[in-house]
Amino acid sequence: MKKWLRALMSVAAAAFGVQSNKNREHDFANLPAGVVIAAGLIFTVLFVLTLAAIVSWVMP
C-alpha cells in the first residue's frame, strides 16, 4: 500500500510540475514500473473526470 501512495504522490507532483529531479530518480529506482504506470492511469482518469464535473457544474 505504501508503494501505491508513493506512486500516486509522485505522479501528482510530476503532473503539476513540482517534483524535484532527486525525487523522480528515487521513485524510478525504487518503485516498480507497473505501479507507476497504473498510478498514472488512475490519476489521469480522476483528473479528467474532475475537470468534466467542474465544467458541467459551471456551464448550465
Side-chain angles (χ1 to χ4, degrees), residues 4 8 11 34-50:
W4 278 99
L8 284 172
V11 167
V35 172
V36 175
I37 292 169
L41 291 173
I42 291 168
F43 179 83
T44 302
V45 168
L46 290 176
F47 185 73
V48 169
L49 290 175
T50 301

Side-chain angles (χ1 to χ4, degrees), residues 5 9 18-19 22 33-34 36 41 43 45 47 55:
L5 181 59
M9 289 173 42
V18 296
Q19 186 176 36
K22 177 183 167 189
V36 175
L41 291 173
F43 179 83
V45 168
F47 185 73
V55 169

Side-chain angles (χ1 to χ4, degrees), residues 7-29:
L8 284 172
M9 289 173 42
S10 178
V11 167
F16 292 111
V18 296
Q19 186 176 36
S20 68
N21 190 42
K22 177 183 167 189
N23 286 343
R24 182 190 58 81
E25 289 176 356
H26 178 268
D27 292 340
F28 276 112

